[in-house]
DNA sequence: AAAGCGGGGTG
DNA sequence: CACCCAGCTTT
């Protein structure tokens, strides 16, 4: 029996019941696939339901404004996915007559859709014979065939993609793709895979040669860098000063409190002597520390954040427009990043009339 | 080819 | 703590 047939037999018995598996609507499948990029299924499911409800068809998505989309995306991370989805939806309306592409060649033209996602959309919505290659597939193939080539090298990616193409079931690409990903997620897991009752024990090279724990091989990335953020809570009447982050850094287009970033960690006294602080605030400014330093870990940087309340009115030199700032009464409506909204959750008392 | 981009779960 | 997750874009 072929790899594909054994795999699909396993899938029939053990596959997961996932909400996007009941449709062939390319738009709905696209929604789910973008949400699931670098995101665990359990984490993505509530967002999937939210987006389907808010934007049941692609034209609704295209009509929305970016603020609303980012707010729905809030907390999921990799926010360029949300911004690209908006561009893609508008492209479908303007260039594809509102008909969401259900082919690989059509889907891959959309921003935010790469080889994996285009293959997923095409195979799930129209059964086009394209093989998905995601983290699960890399792992299953590396172990089954005993491949020691790193999965994140150029050579490795080519090799795995080629093998994936060859062993794809061309008659049932949609089911096969679902099956290999479920197999990677449930059976051939990253740690402690369930080799004991695996259907592929006889032919799995990694199992036969005792390499399961070593595969797949992955090259290490760069180390994280440290950054130090100092956030200022500036209240005026019932409003709070918020600023929108720019492109080219983490959390693009999301809102946060106005802040100063420093190269090294800093006490409050040193911060108040810092050139940027003097540029923004009057000499008589009173700062009050809120809570302790917060460490916020991203995959590529560690952010150490301090929060201060401005204790006296008119502390801000308002003529300086260096912050892209606005006062907001209902900051609930703003799309904020995790560091800010988790701070707000813990400090609700800081916000008037909540 | 390498870097940048989030947040959360797991062992 | 390190590693990984239904990856893509930019440099």
């Amino acid at each position: 029996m072929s790899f594909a047939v054994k795999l699909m037999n396993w899938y029939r018995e053990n596959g997961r019941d996932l909400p996007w598996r009941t449709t062939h609507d390319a738009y709905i499948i696209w929604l789910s696939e973008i949400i699931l990029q670098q995101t665990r299924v359990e984490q993505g499911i509530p967002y999937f339901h939210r987006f389907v409800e808010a934007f049941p068809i692609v034209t609704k998505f295209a009509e929305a404004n970016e603020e609303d989309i980012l707010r729905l995306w809030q907390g999921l991370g990799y926010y360029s996915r949300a911004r690209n989805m908006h561009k893609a939806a508008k492209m479908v309306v303007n260039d594809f007559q509102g008909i969401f592409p259900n082919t690989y060649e059509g889907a891959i033209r959309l921003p935010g859709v790469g080889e994996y996602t285009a293959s997923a959309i095409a195979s799930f919505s129209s059964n086009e014979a394209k093989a998905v290659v995601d983290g699960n597939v890399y792992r299953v193939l590396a172990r089954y065939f005993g491949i020691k080539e790193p999965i994140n090298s150029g050579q490795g990616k080519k090799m795995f993609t080629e093998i994936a193409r060859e062993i794809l079931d061309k008659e049932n690409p949609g089911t096969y793709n679902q099956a290999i990903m479920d197999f990677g997620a449930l059976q051939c897991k990253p740690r402690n895979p369930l080799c004991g009752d695996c259907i592929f024990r006889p032919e799995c090279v990694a199992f036969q040669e005792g390499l399961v724990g070593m595969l797949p091989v992955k090259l290490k990335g760069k180390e994280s860098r440290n950054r130090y953020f100092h956030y200022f809570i500036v209240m005026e009447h019932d409003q709070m000063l918020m600023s929108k982050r720019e492109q080219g850094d983490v959390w693009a287009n999301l809102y946060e409190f106005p802040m100063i970033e420093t190269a090294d960690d800093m006490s409050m006294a040193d911060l108040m002597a810092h050139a940027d602080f003097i540029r923004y605030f009057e000499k008589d400014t009173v700062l009050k520390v809120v809570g302790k330093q917060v460490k916020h870990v991203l995959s590529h940087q560690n952010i150490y954040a301090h929060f201060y309340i401005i204790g006296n009115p008119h502390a801000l030199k308002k003529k300086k427009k260096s912050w892209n700032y606005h006062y907001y009464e209902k900051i609930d409506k703003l799309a904020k990043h995790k560091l800010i909204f988790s701070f707000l959750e813990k400090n609700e008392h800081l916000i008037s009339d909540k």
Side-chain angles (χ1 to χ4, degrees):
Chain A
M1 208 184 301
S2 71
F3 173 82
V5 171
K6 283 180 80 168
L7 182 67
M8 288 189 287
N9 286 341
W10 174 91
Y11 177 64
R12 204 173 304 119
E13 298 295 320
N14 303 284
R16 288 175 290 189
D17 212 5
L18 299 175
W20 43 86
R21 285 184 173 166
T22 56
T23 183
H24 287 88
D25 182 337
Y27 164 69
I28 300 296
I29 291 165
W30 166 75
L31 273 183
S32 72
E33 291 301 338
I34 304 293
I35 288 171
L36 293 173
Q37 287 170 5
Q38 292 293 284
T39 303
R40 288 167 307 100
V41 164
E42 307 83 65
Q43 191 186 359
I45 285 177
Y47 286 86
F48 172 75
H49 290 305
R50 256 177 262 169
F51 272 84
V52 170
E53 186 175 8
F55 312 119
I57 54 176
V58 67
T59 47
K60 297 281 185 195
F61 203 115
E63 286 167 12
N65 53 50
E66 187 181 281
E67 287 292 322
D68 291 334
I69 295 167
L70 281 174
R71 193 153 46 92
L72 269 184
W73 198 269
Q74 183 173 267
L76 196 54
Y78 285 156
Y79 297 89
S80 66
R81 290 183 289 173
R83 299 191 303 270
N84 281 332
M85 280 178 105
H86 196 205
K87 288 184 203 158
K90 287 195 278 196
M91 193 182 296
V92 170
V93 168
N94 295 328
D95 302 347
F96 300 157
Q97 290 77 49
I99 301 175
F100 205 97
N102 64 354
T103 63
Y104 179 92
E105 292 302 329
I108 200 140
R109 292 177 53 189
L110 302 173
V113 175
E115 284 181 44
Y116 163 78
T117 305
S119 300
I121 293 172
S123 64
F124 300 152
S125 68
S126 69
N127 216 35
E128 185 178 339
K130 291 286 182 182
V132 295
V133 184
D134 74 332
N136 292 304
V137 175
Y138 280 121
R139 185 170 56 257
V140 172
L141 298 185
R143 289 176 178 163
Y144 184 87
F145 293 104
I147 302 169
K148 297 185 178 109
E149 191 71 27
I151 61 173
N152 56 344
S153 69
Q155 276 288 340
K157 283 181 192 166
K158 271 179 61 182
M159 183 180 303
F160 283 97
T161 302
E162 184 51 40
I163 294 172
R165 262 201 284 270
E166 285 169 17
I167 63 172
L168 170 73
D169 187 317
K170 279 80 175 175
E171 300 301 315
N172 310 286
T175 304
Y176 169 89
N177 280 336
Q178 300 279 14
I180 193 167
M181 290 193 284
D182 261 11
F183 186 78
L186 301 175
Q187 186 90 22
C188 197
K189 301 183 293 176
R191 308 250 222 138
N192 302 339
L194 310 178
C195 299
D197 64 352
C198 181
I199 55 172
F200 294 121
R201 271 171 68 132
E203 64 266 43
C204 176
V205 174
F207 181 76
Q208 293 300 330
E209 300 184 5
L211 300 172
V212 174
M214 316 290 303
L215 297 177
V217 174
K218 192 171 181 179
L219 272 26
K220 285 200 191 243
K222 254 188 52 174
E223 274 186 43
S224 298
R225 64 183 171 125
N226 294 331
R227 305 176 70 177
Y228 303 92
F229 289 3
H230 307 267
Y231 284 110
F232 303 107
I233 295 156
V234 185
M235 303 287 300
E236 194 159 293
H237 305 109
D238 285 346
Q239 300 190 312
M240 185 175 292
L241 191 59
M242 299 293 283
S243 105
K244 187 173 185 173
R245 290 184 66 86
E246 312 276 345
Q247 302 280 347
D249 197 356
V250 289
W251 300 318
N253 295 11
L254 297 186
Y255 287 86
E256 61 183 9
F257 308 133
M259 65 92 145
I260 289 172
E261 177 173 3
T262 58
D264 303 296
D265 205 2
M266 212 167 262
S267 68
M268 188 170 88
D270 289 342
L271 177 66
M272 293 181 78
H274 193 276
D276 286 339
F277 186 90
I278 292 164
R279 184 152 51 241
Y280 296 132
F281 293 104
E282 304 285 357
K283 251 200 160 81
D284 61 353
T285 297
V286 177
L287 289 188
K288 227 172 75 188
V289 177
V290 186
K292 296 200 308 190
Q293 183 187 61
V294 174
K295 181 180 182 184
H296 190 84
V297 179
L298 306 182
S299 55
H300 47 290
Q301 48 188 281
N302 302 314
I303 293 171
Y304 296 91
H306 298 271
F307 295 88
Y308 304 96
I309 291 188
I310 303 299
N312 57 317
H314 314 302
L316 196 68
K317 293 182 177 171
K318 298 209 177 185
K319 285 176 192 130
K320 296 289 181 187
K321 298 220 350 177
S322 310
W323 280 322
N324 179 18
Y325 66 72
H326 300 280
Y327 282 100
Y328 286 99
E329 200 160 356
K330 300 198 167 147
I331 60 178
D332 289 357
K333 292 216 186 269
L334 301 181
K336 302 171 290 293
H337 56 77
K338 179 74 184 182
L339 179 53
I340 294 301
F341 72 69
S342 65
F343 174 85
L344 285 168
E345 278 170 13
K346 272 182 264 173
N347 297 280
E348 280 191 76
H349 58 280
L350 295 178
I351 302 160
S352 55
D353 78 79
K354 277 291 291 236

